[in-house]
Amino acid sequence: MNPGYELPQNEAGYSFGFLDEYAKREVRRTVLKAICIPGYQTPYASREMPMGRGFGTGGLQVTLSLVGPGDTVKVIDQGADDSVNAVNLRKFIELTCPHVDTTEHTRDATLIQSRHRVPEMPLTEAQVLVLQVPYPDPLVVVEPSEARRKTMHGEGDYSRLLTKLYEDIVQFDEITISHRYPTRINGHYVIDPSPIPRYDVPQLHQNRALILLGAGREKKIYAVPPYSQADPLAFDDVPFRTEDFTDEYGRRRACARCGAIDSFLDELIDDDGARIWQCSDSDYCNERLAAAGKQEVARA
Amino acid sequence: MNQMLEVRNLSKIHGRGCPRCFDSTGPDMDTNICAHCGSVVAAHGVSFDLRAGEILGIMGESGSGKSTLVKTLFFDETPTVGEVLFFDGERQWDLFALNAAEQRWLRNHRFGMVYQNPHLGLNFKVSAGGNIAERLLMSDLSHYGEIRERARRLLARTEVLPERMDESPKKFSGGMQQRVQIAKALATQPPLLFLDEVTTGLDLSVQARILDLILEIQQELGTAMIVVTHDLGVIRLLAGRTIVMKYGRVIESGLTDQILEDPQHAYTQRLVASSL
Amino acid sequence: MQPVLKVEALSKQFQLYEQGKLIPSCADVHLEVQAGALTALIGPTGAGKSSVLKCIHRTYLPTSGRMLYRDRDNHVTDLALASEHRILELRHSDIGFVTQFLHCLPRKAALDVVAEPLLARGEGAGGARERAAELLALLNVPERLWGVPPATFSGGEKQRVNLARGLIARPRLLLLDEPTASLDPATTGRVVDLIERIKAEGVAMLAIFHQPELVNRLADRVVELTPPVAATELLETCTS
């Protein structure tokens, strides 16, 4: 996008938030329905956006329909605010939503659109998290027919999904799903929580914020309302577990940058070719560094 | 013995049907295809009772409607008209007045089905043990170790080698596939089992051992069964009572030894005579 | 004393559609069987002796007549009209049938074949096998054969297995169709002893014997059957 290009403010072709008012209303209605039926994949029209399907058009439509003047928006991609997808979406929002602030700080945001991560910092009741979803239906791996999948969802029949987990344990001694871990919301619908790591799944449980999931290509919106029950599918004797960041000495790996031992880490290769681990959530990492710096200043 | 199933006036038409369907089909008309609208009358006016722990045989040639009958009872097909009551302890179920979820519950918990074609009864994408696990998971068992142990026991009971439980049934012989199907059907210890031509197409020695297994299970667990077959030997071995069907109608029913030694209907006489 | 079984005017005809024939098998049979007594059916071949037993067992559907069975509770059932489930119940608990031929599971050991009626009544496997072993020993079946399926046995051995199976459950009414047909004299003697013993226990029996001396020795009552008038003749007499 050309940063020098200014969108004509008063022309009928573009309204606040790019989508026309009718489109935004339809999305809002869908969001309301999705909140009423936690975990239910609510169909919606999904408009064409000026970017390819798969670049977060589902999440973006939700964000653009909910954002208003006075909101502060944060966009993250795999935890980072400065990766290409996040930067472009943020610029698009800035361009189409006058008087809306953007931020890189989780704490300051009222609306957070995210790809593949839930922020480390606990969210508040005043915040909304929008997750971008490529494949909304967790049953697609066991049932090709959408009509039959709908019946299975309706009847809460997830035995075939569980059978897949059983087969995983038989073959690999553990459940091998790393992302998109099927999670049951409020005891009925099982959702695909988008490609967040297993580490983030417990964050869906009893979260204070409203979590909305939007799939643009598949034209579905679903919700994990505040304080919802979110149970990853598992067996009584093979419980769900998150990624393990212990090193060969049995110690929890720490972020090479900020030293955090309570965050989701990305594995990187440094300039010397050595493997290092670093916070995936860049805001979290920066905040910790800033706090540490202040402490040092105070000590000095 | 207590009544378990009461089937009344069950009919199934494949096709759009017309008012003259029933009058223009059946053994007397020598067809099950309606001459007026081309619909197939797979079953018409079928009524029978089944007691707990009893084995009922349904005999007939292909196209007689015998498979349609059990598929209807197992909710694989919906009947055109008819009523079926299922008595289950204190509960009584009007099968075709139930909603889809209730029907699915009955299928998983109280009924079992073994199909002639193992592809219908088994998921070849998962292991033999996984197939049994699926049925146990449907009945809300959620302990991996217990599921595995029950699957192992069921497969051992049906004489499938435990070391093969993690293989896909795709690699199994036809007889072994039927054994896995039987184990799967029995997983939730249903009081009623439907067996649809389970030994058809198998080697004679394999057939014999499967039939032995079915009888042993019936004696151990007291499971009521409806056995659909065109094979008089299977009927003689398994069923206490037998229904004979032709072109969708019941033409004769009685004690199995009576049907075989003193058949009343011309068609049954021919059927019995041709098998000796 | 009221008879356990009273047969009145029993007739059986087979209608064979393929051949277009009506074949009478037995006609106008009257008989009674008392508890603790044996009624013997005699008559030439073709008189329908076996048919009468099969009608009572409902392996054949009688064409006409009544077959009144009085059960433990003094309740009378017409076996000709009783429902299939009632007949199965009676076969299970009251009425035993020993035929000349053994119809049993092809791959079951002789001992289990004999024990089966007890198992079907819900008795323990151990006790049932013990009783079966006793009976097989009594009937001179060599012990080495007990674990073998009877399919390979000689005619006499099969028949003894069959007898043991028929007697083990101690029915109230026992139908015997030539139970000694292919037995040697020594074993026949044992069978006769056994029949006398269960008669003394109060079992009512209806039997067909090959040998007239057995009828003389065992029967309390004898019913002689005559071959029924052939259907063609019947038609002729009706029309003339």
Side-chain angles (χ1 to χ4, degrees), chain A residues 160-299:
Chain A
R160 281 161 70 188
L161 209 50
L162 287 160
T163 305
K164 202 179 169 307
L165 303 189
Y166 164 93
E167 292 279 297
D168 259 15
I169 303 173
V170 167
Q171 280 183 35
F172 308 108
D173 287 322
E174 60 171 335
I175 296 168
T176 55
I177 304 168
S178 62
H179 292 74
R180 300 173 54 204
Y181 196 96
T183 303
R184 193 188 290 263
I185 305 303
N186 277 359
H188 188 99
Y189 289 106
V190 170
I191 63 163
D192 180 326
S194 86
I196 56 174
R198 285 197 295 204
Y199 188 88
D200 287 351
V201 171
Q203 294 251 56
L204 302 181
H205 181 66
Q206 297 291 336
N207 201 309
R208 285 187 292 267
L210 167 64
I211 301 170
L212 297 170
L213 299 101
R217 186 180 41 214
E218 302 292 330
K219 302 182 169 137
K220 297 280 164 51
I221 289 171
Y222 46 107
V224 182
Y227 302 105
S228 291
Q229 193 79 15
D231 305 306
L233 293 188
F235 294 99
D236 297 346
D237 52 338
V238 186
F240 170 81
R241 49 173 202 82
T242 57
E243 284 81 354
D244 181 15
F245 290 109
T246 48
D247 62 15
E248 53 269 42
Y249 308 110
R251 283 178 311 212
R252 172 63 149 87
R253 291 187 200 281
C255 170
R257 209 167 147 249
C258 73
I261 52 166
D262 58 355
S263 64
F264 184 79
L265 300 175
D266 285 337
E267 190 179 333
L268 306 166
I269 307 292
D270 71 4
D271 297 340
D272 307 327
R275 296 196 302 167
I276 56 163
W277 279 265
Q278 193 175 304
C279 286
S280 140
D281 186 334
S282 55
D283 174 55
Y284 185 71
C285 200
N286 292 339
E287 292 266 321
R288 279 181 53 87
L289 277 178
K294 262 183 218 152
Q295 270 175 15
E296 268 164 39
V297 169
R299 221 178 291 152

Side-chain angles (χ1 to χ4, degrees), chain B residues 7-262:
Chain B
V7 178
R8 292 293 176 268
N9 237 331
L10 201 63
S11 298
K12 172 71 182 175
I13 300 178
H14 294 288
R16 60 197 168 86
C18 73
R20 289 186 287 180
C21 272
F22 294 142
D23 289 337
S24 55
T25 57
D28 297 337
M29 309 302 291
D30 211 28
T31 181
N32 58 0
I33 300 167
C34 174
H36 305 284
C37 68
S39 301
V40 174
V41 179
H44 176 53
V46 176
S47 301
F48 62 86
D49 292 340
L50 181 76
R51 299 274 175 98
E54 180 185 23
I55 303 186
L56 175 73
I58 300 182
M59 190 168 80
E61 296 167 309
S62 47
S64 62
K66 56 193 194 304
S67 284
T68 301
L69 201 60
V70 287
K71 282 180 178 153
T72 308
L73 297 175
F74 195 59
F75 307 116
D76 279 343
E77 292 186 18
T78 44
T80 308
V81 292
E83 187 186 54
V84 175
L85 297 179
F86 170 55
F87 302 92
D88 183 21
E90 298 296 297
R91 298 197 69 169
Q92 177 184 327
W93 304 84
D94 183 352
L95 291 195
F96 305 128
L98 303 176
N99 66 35
E102 290 169 319
Q103 291 187 345
R104 195 175 62 86
W105 188 89
L106 275 182
R107 254 174 84 108
N108 293 339
H109 293 76
R110 309 308 288 156
F111 298 162
M113 173 73 122
V114 182
Y115 296 91
Q116 175 182 0
N117 182 350
H119 280 272
L120 291 175
L122 297 176
N123 182 352
F124 281 14
K125 287 185 188 145
V126 302
S127 63
N131 267 283
I132 293 163
E134 184 179 331
R135 201 161 147 90
L136 292 172
L137 286 162
M138 279 181 203
S139 57
D140 303 323
L141 193 65
S142 57
H143 190 282
Y144 174 77
E146 197 184 329
I147 287 169
R148 206 145 163 78
E149 185 47 41
R150 294 232 329 233
R152 199 194 312 272
R153 274 209 306 272
L154 282 158
L155 288 170
R157 178 64 199 87
T158 56
E159 291 156 33
V160 176
L161 289 175
E163 54 266 35
R164 298 197 68 181
M165 79 180 280
D166 296 333
E167 287 177 37
S168 162
K170 190 163 51 192
K171 300 183 195 156
F172 291 3
S173 67
M176 282 270 270
Q177 288 174 347
Q178 293 310 62
R179 288 169 186 281
V180 177
Q181 266 208 90
I182 293 170
K184 182 176 186 174
L186 290 174
T188 50
Q189 294 175 301
L192 177 56
L193 211 55
F194 304 111
L195 305 168
D196 188 2
E197 300 270 14
V198 282
T199 55
T200 305
L202 299 176
D203 288 347
L204 281 178
S205 62
V206 178
Q207 272 192 27
R209 283 170 49 208
I210 301 252
L211 294 174
D212 285 351
L213 175 67
I214 291 168
L215 266 182
E216 285 166 26
I217 284 164
Q218 201 272 337
Q219 273 173 6
E220 273 170 39
L221 306 174
T223 316
M225 302 184 189
I226 296 183
V227 178
V228 168
T229 181
H230 68 279
D231 185 337
L232 294 182
V234 172
I235 290 280
R236 187 196 297 275
L237 199 60
L238 297 182
R241 292 187 310 124
T242 295
I243 285 174
V244 184
M245 290 186 72
K246 190 186 185 191
Y247 291 129
R249 320 291 158 109
V250 173
I251 55 167
E252 182 164 359
S253 69
L255 298 163
T256 300
D257 54 334
Q258 180 250 302
I259 295 275
L260 295 175
E261 292 198 35
D262 184 18

Side-chain angles (χ1 to χ4, degrees), chain B residues 1 49 51 54 208 211-212 215 219 237 240-241 253-255 257-258 261-262 264-266 269-270, chain C residues 12 14-18 54 57-61 84-85 87-89 91 105-108 116:
Chain B
M1 276 295 181
D49 292 340
R51 299 274 175 98
E54 180 185 23
L211 294 174
D212 285 351
L215 266 182
Q219 273 173 6
L237 199 60
R241 292 187 310 124
S253 69
L255 298 163
D257 54 334
Q258 180 250 302
E261 292 198 35
D262 184 18
Q264 303 294 303
H265 195 281
Q269 288 183 2
R270 219 161 46 236
Chain C
K12 172 63 187 168
F14 290 99
Q15 182 165 18
L16 301 181
Y17 292 94
E18 200 83 322
K54 284 190 174 179
H57 196 245
R58 266 282 286 277
T59 300
Y60 288 169
L61 272 180
E84 291 153 19
H85 285 122
I87 295 288
L88 285 175
E89 262 170 37
R91 285 184 184 181
L105 296 178
R107 292 162 296 277
K108 224 172 185 178
E116 209 215 307

Side-chain angles (χ1 to χ4, degrees), chain A residues 29-45:
Chain A
R29 275 200 303 272
T30 307
V31 165
L32 284 175
K33 180 169 176 182
I35 293 168
C36 292
I37 318 172
Y40 173 70
Q41 297 166 53
T42 319
Y44 77 115

Side-chain angles (χ1 to χ4, degrees), chain C residues 137-188:
Chain C
L138 196 70
L139 288 168
N140 257 347
V141 177
E143 197 170 340
R144 65 185 160 80
L145 294 179
W146 295 1
V148 180
T152 53
F153 290 10
S154 72
E157 286 159 355
K158 273 187 194 169
Q159 188 153 22
R160 279 174 277 167
V161 170
N162 211 10
L163 255 172
R165 182 183 158 90
L167 298 178
I168 195 166
R170 288 284 186 275
R172 290 187 71 240
L173 172 64
L174 185 58
L175 309 170
L176 296 161
D177 191 350
E178 304 210 19
T180 57
S182 41
L183 299 185
D184 58 71
T187 316
T188 303

